[in-house]
Amino acid sequence: MATILVTGGAGYIGSHTVVELVKAGYEPIIFDNFSNSKPAVLARLHKITGKNIPFYSGDIRVREQLEKVFDENKIDAVIHFAGLKAVGESVKKPLEYYDNNVNGSRTLLMVMRDKGCKNFIFSSSATVYGEPDSVPLTENSPVKRANCPYGQTKIDVEYMAEELQKACPDFSVTLLRYFNPVGAHESGLIGEDPRGIPNNLMPYLTQVAVGRLPYLNIFGNDYPTPDGTCIRDYIHVVDLALGHVAALNKLMNVPGVHIYNLGTGIGYSVLDMVNAFSKAIGHELPHKFAPRRAGDVVQCYADPKKAFEDLGWKALKTLEDMTADSYNWQKNNPQGYED
Ligand code: NAD
Ligand code: UFG
C-alpha cells in the first residue's frame, strides 16, 4: 500500500487523518516539529491503531530534514498539514507566518519535485473566499485578498502549488478548503489541544464546560442573520479526515489541480452551537454577549457537491456527534495532552 508523508501529523487534523489512513490501509509517516502539538499524541495513535506510526522530528523549512525522510522511504504522496494557524497571532507576526507557511511549503514542494514525489494534498481553508458575496460557497466562488496574513499564506501556497503543477504537468495537486473543523475521535484519546486561551469556538465551549474557563463570550449578536450571531459550516474532524482518504483514493497519480470544499453544507449560528452544547452537557452553558470580533465574516458555508460527485465523499456526522465527541475528549483530558 502507498506510503503517505503527513506533515503536521501530530496536530489536530493531522492526527485524526493518520488514524483514518491506517484504517484505509495506507502507511502514514508523521513529520512534525511539535511547535503546536505534543509527543504524547504518538502513544495515543498507537493505542487507537495498534501500530507504531513512523515519526520524524523536523521542520518543513529545513530542507535536509525533509530530504532524510524521502531518502529513507519511498513516499508516494504528501498530505501537508504543517503550518501556523492563529489568525490574530498572524496579524502580530506576519513574517513568522510567511516564513513557516509559505517558505516551509516551498521547501517541501522543492524536495518533492527533486525526489520525484508528485502527489500533493494541501490543507487550505475557506478563508481564501474572504467575506463571501453569496453562500453557499462553491469552488468557483472568487478567491479574494485575505484579511489577515494567515489567510494570505493559504492563498499564496495554493497559487505556488498551481504554478508548480503548470511547470511539472505530471504533478497531482489537491487543494482542500476546510470549513470549520470540530469534534474529536470517538475514543476520546485524541482531540484539539490549543495552547493558551482558545481562539476558536468549539475548544472555548469545551473548556467552559469542564470549568477551565468561566463563560463564553459570543462575539456579536447584531449580525444580519436570523438570531444575530455569525454562521459557520462546522464539520466533524473525522469526516474531514475521511475527505483526505477519499482524495488520495481518487486523485493519486491523476495529474492536474483538484480543488474541493470540505464542509457539510449546513450553516449553524454561534447560538445554535451553544444550544447544542448545552444539550450535550445537560445544562445551559454559561455565555455572555460581547462586541463583534474584528475580521469575522457574517456567514460562511460550503456547497460540498463537487466532493461528493467526484470523490464520493460527504460529511456524515451530525451536530450532536460533533458536540458529544468534543466534550468527551475534553472531559477525558481536561488539561489536553499532558507531557
Ligand atoms: P495544528 O496546529 O493542530 O497542527 C499543525 C501541526 O503542524 C502541529 O502539530 C505543528 O506542531 C506542526 N507544525 C507547524 N509548523 C511546522 C513546521 N514548520 N515544521 C513541522 N511541523 C510544523 O493545526 P490543525 O488544526 O490540525 O490544522 C492543520 C492544517 O489545516 C493547518 O495548515 C491549518 O492552517 C489548516 N486549517 C485548519 C483549520 C482549523 O480550523 N483547524 C481550518 C482550515 C485550515
Ligand atoms: N466565536 C465566539 N466566541 C469565541 C470564539 C468564537 O463567539 O470565543 C464565534 C466567532 O465570532 C465566529 C464563530 O464563533 O462567529 C466561529 O469562530 P472560530 O474562531 O471558531 O472560527 P472562524 O470561522 O472565525 O475561523 C476559522 C478558522 C480559521 C480560518 C477561518 C476562515 O479557525 O483558521 O475559519 O476559514 F481562517
Side-chain angles (χ1 to χ4, degrees):
M1 246 302 184
T3 301
I4 315 298
L5 176 61
V6 185
T7 73
Y12 172 46
I13 306 170
S15 59
H16 288 82
T17 301
V18 164
V19 171
E20 299 309 320
L21 287 172
V22 172
K23 268 167 81 177
Y26 289 101
E27 290 179 4
I29 295 177
I30 296 174
F31 183 94
D32 206 296
N33 67 356
F34 294 128
S35 58
N36 197 39
S37 53
K38 295 197 183 132
V41 74
L42 301 174
R44 305 287 182 95
L45 288 172
H46 176 78
K47 213 162 176 182
I48 296 171
T49 63
K51 292 225 154 66
N52 281 322
I53 316 288
F55 168 73
Y56 285 80
S57 172
D59 191 306
I60 52 165
R61 291 165 293 181
V62 182
R63 191 183 171 107
E64 301 71 40
Q65 292 177 352
L66 282 169
E67 281 175 342
K68 181 171 156 64
V69 187
F70 284 84
D71 290 341
E72 292 179 0
N73 305 273
K74 188 193 159 294
I75 305 292
D76 296 293
V78 175
I79 307 182
H80 177 35
F81 294 103
L84 303 176
K85 63 164 184 175
V87 171
E89 185 186 56
S90 79
V91 175
K92 293 194 187 101
K93 299 180 174 174
L95 299 182
E96 281 77 5
Y97 270 67
Y98 282 100
D99 182 37
N100 205 81
N101 295 4
V102 181
N103 288 344
S105 301
R106 187 204 56 197
T107 305
L108 172 64
L109 285 167
M110 279 176 126
V111 172
M112 287 179 66
R113 182 196 60 193
D114 296 350
K115 300 286 177 187
C117 176
K118 298 185 170 62
N119 293 293
F120 180 68
I121 297 183
F122 176 58
S123 295
S124 190
S125 167
T127 196
V128 303
Y129 299 119
E131 175 84 52
D133 300 327
S134 63
V135 279
L137 288 152
T138 73
E139 290 78 358
N140 292 324
S141 298
V143 168
K144 297 185 181 155
R145 192 177 195 288
N147 64 358
C148 69
Y150 165 73
Q152 192 59 44
T153 68
K154 290 294 170 196
I155 296 174
D156 289 358
V157 176
E158 283 202 0
Y159 282 163
M160 181 163 53
E162 287 184 36
E163 301 294 359
L164 172 64
Q165 202 284 330
K166 274 189 223 152
C168 306
D170 47 353
F171 252 80
S172 169
V173 165
T174 302
L175 309 174
L176 300 179
R177 294 175 178 160
Y178 311 156
F179 283 66
N180 287 57
V182 295
H185 190 258
E186 61 183 2
S187 63
L189 287 166
I190 54 174
E192 189 170 11
D193 182 18
R195 295 198 170 173
I197 308 271
N199 299 306
N200 298 120
L201 180 63
M202 188 57 99
Y204 209 104
L205 286 170
T206 61
Q207 293 197 14
V208 172
V210 299
R212 261 173 84 173
L213 294 167
Y215 58 86
L216 172 78
N217 281 307
I218 295 181
F219 297 137
N221 62 344
D222 57 352
Y223 283 101
T225 61
D227 66 20
T229 65
C230 291
I231 291 174
R232 296 287 183 276
D233 184 336
Y234 298 93
I235 175 170
H236 196 294
V237 67
V238 172
D239 278 331
L240 190 63
L242 287 167
H244 295 73
V245 174
L248 273 178
N249 289 344
K250 285 277 169 152
L251 300 173
M252 242 209 299
N253 303 321
V254 178
V257 175
H258 317 284
I259 303 180
Y260 293 99
N261 284 340
L262 296 185
T264 64
I266 303 168
Y268 288 113
S269 72
V270 179
L271 273 173
D272 289 334
M273 299 303 286
V274 171
N275 293 336
F277 208 84
S278 299
K279 227 160 128 191
I281 60 176
H283 61 87
E284 182 165 282
L285 188 108
H287 60 274
K288 293 185 183 173
F289 292 109
R292 291 181 178 195
R293 180 172 72 176
D296 272 344
V297 303
V298 181
Q299 48 178 345
C300 175
Y301 56 93
D303 177 346
K305 201 164 62 219
K306 186 177 175 218
F308 183 61
E309 287 175 356
D310 293 3
L311 309 178
W313 172 90
K314 69 174 176 187
L316 297 174
K317 293 195 182 267
T318 63
L319 181 58
E320 285 68 35
D321 298 325
M322 301 182 210
T323 49
D325 289 338
S326 293
Y327 184 45
N328 184 43
W329 150 255
Q330 192 76 74
K331 227 175 18 185
N332 290 336
N333 306 273
Q335 302 302 324
Y337 296 107
E338 292 184 64
D339 268 348

